[in-house]
Amino acid sequence: MAELTYPDLDTYRREVFAREDELLKRVMPGAAAQGLPPISISPESGKTLYLLAKSIGAKKILEFGSLAGYSGIWLARALPDDGRFVSLEVDPKHAEVSRKNLAAAGLADRTDVRVGEGAVLMRDLVDEGPFDLVFIDADKENYPVYLDFALENTRVGGLIVADNANGHGHVHEALETGDGRRGIQEYNRRVATHPRLVSNIIPVGGWLAVSLVLGTD
Ligand code: SAH
Ligand code: MG
C-alpha cells in the first residue's frame, strides 16, 4: 500500500480522525452562501462531540445555538434511532437553515430546532429532561445561565460541554465590563471548581470545556 503523506499535523489529524463526509463538507459553505456567519465548531470538535455522546450512550441531547446545524448533525448522528436532539436558536433564519440541514442528513425524525431565546425556551424543557448531554454554544454572556439549567437537568453520568472556552483566545486576560467573554471566564471558573463536576478543557477548535456530572452521595 502506498504511504500517504500530509502537509502538516493539523491536516493529518483532520484527514485521519475528523473526516467530514460529503454532506458535512457542504453545510458551512452552503450556510455562508445564505449569509450565515462561518462560526460553527471545527470538524475536530464535531468528532469530539460525537465521541463524547457515543461514549455515554446519549439518548437525549440539548444544544444552545444551532446556527446551520453543523454541530447538530455531529451530535444527532451519535443518537440511537429513538434518540432526541433539541436545539435552541434565537435567529429564525438560522433555525430554518439548521432544520433543512438536519433533514438532509436524514435526522428530521429525531431532531427539534426551536426558535427563541435559549434562556426562555429552556424553561419548557425541564419536563423533557433530564438530558444526557448539554452542549452550550450560543451567546457567551449567558453561559452561566445555561450552566445553571444544565446542572439541574443533566443526568448523573451525563456531560455538559461548552464551545469557545478559550474566549476567542482571550479568556486568560482581564476583560472589560460588559464584554460577553466574561461569561465564559465565569463559566470556566465555575465548572472547574464545582463539587458535582469533573471538568477539563479539550483543546480542539476554540476549546471545548467538558464536565462530567457526578452524583450527590
Ligand atoms: N453550534 C453551532 C454554532 C452556533 S453559533 C455549530 O457549531 O454549528 C451561535 C448561535 O447562537 C447563532 O446561530 C446565534 O444566532 C445563536 N444565539 C445567539 N444568542 C442566542 C440566544 N440568546 N438564544 C439562542 N440562540 C442564540
Ligand atoms: Mg462556538
Side-chain angles (χ1 to χ4, degrees), residues 3 12 16 45 61 72 82 98 108 138 148 156 161 174-175 183 196 198 209:
E3 265 180 58
Y12 173 77
V16 176
S45 300
I61 297 176
D82 61 345
S98 184
D148 288 336
V156 172
V161 184
L175 299 172
R196 278 189 58 225
V198 177

Side-chain angles (χ1 to χ4, degrees), residues 64 88-90 116-123 125 138-139 142 146:
F64 291 88
L88 310 181
E89 170 56 55
V90 78
E117 290 284 343
V120 175
L121 294 179
M122 69 184 189
R123 295 184 208 138
L125 283 165
D139 49 324
N142 273 322
Y146 303 144

Side-chain angles (χ1 to χ4, degrees), residues 6-205:
Y6 301 86
D8 52 58
L9 279 172
D10 284 345
T11 309
Y12 173 77
R13 179 172 56 144
R14 181 165 297 187
E15 291 296 313
V16 176
F17 287 98
R19 280 187 90 87
E20 296 172 298
D21 61 9
E22 290 309 312
L23 185 133
L24 278 170
K25 272 186 199 151
R26 286 196 305 267
V27 170
M28 290 315 295
Q34 296 173 80
L36 274 61
I39 55 171
S40 68
I41 56 164
S42 67
E44 292 75 25
S45 300
K47 183 65 180 287
T48 303
L49 290 177
Y50 179 84
L51 172 63
L52 291 172
K54 277 277 186 203
S55 67
I56 59 162
K59 288 184 78 170
K60 272 193 228 176
I61 297 176
L62 171 63
E63 173 180 77
F64 291 88
S66 319
L67 189 64
Y70 183 84
S71 54
I73 293 170
W74 281 104
L75 282 167
R77 278 181 172 173
L79 291 169
D81 288 346
D82 61 345
R84 293 291 296 159
F85 171 80
V86 180
S87 186
L88 310 181
E89 170 56 55
V90 78
D91 186 314
K93 185 172 169 188
H94 295 185
E96 187 194 318
V97 173
S98 184
R99 281 190 200 111
K100 280 199 186 126
N101 283 323
L102 287 161
L107 297 163
D109 62 337
R110 65 202 67 175
T111 58
D112 180 3
V113 181
R114 302 187 189 176
V115 183
E117 290 284 343
V120 175
L121 294 179
M122 69 184 189
R123 295 184 208 138
D124 294 331
L125 283 165
V126 174
D127 293 342
E128 294 173 51
F131 294 90
D132 302 293
L133 190 154
V134 176
F135 176 52
I136 301 171
D137 192 21
D139 49 324
K140 308 311 172 203
E141 53 277 4
N142 273 322
Y143 270 34
V145 175
Y146 303 144
L147 176 60
D148 288 336
F149 179 88
L151 284 166
E152 291 293 317
N153 297 282
T154 306
R155 71 158 161 96
V156 172
L159 294 168
I160 305 170
V161 184
D163 187 38
N164 306 104
N166 73 13
H168 310 296
H170 296 277
V171 79
H172 59 304
E173 296 171 4
L175 299 172
E176 303 285 324
T177 310
D179 188 321
R181 292 172 297 189
R182 286 168 65 105
I184 299 173
Q185 288 182 334
E186 183 187 336
Y187 181 96
N188 286 346
R189 274 196 303 268
R190 284 181 60 196
V191 298
T193 56
H194 197 287
R196 278 189 58 225
L197 299 176
V198 177
S199 302
N200 204 357
I201 294 293
I202 298 184
V204 288

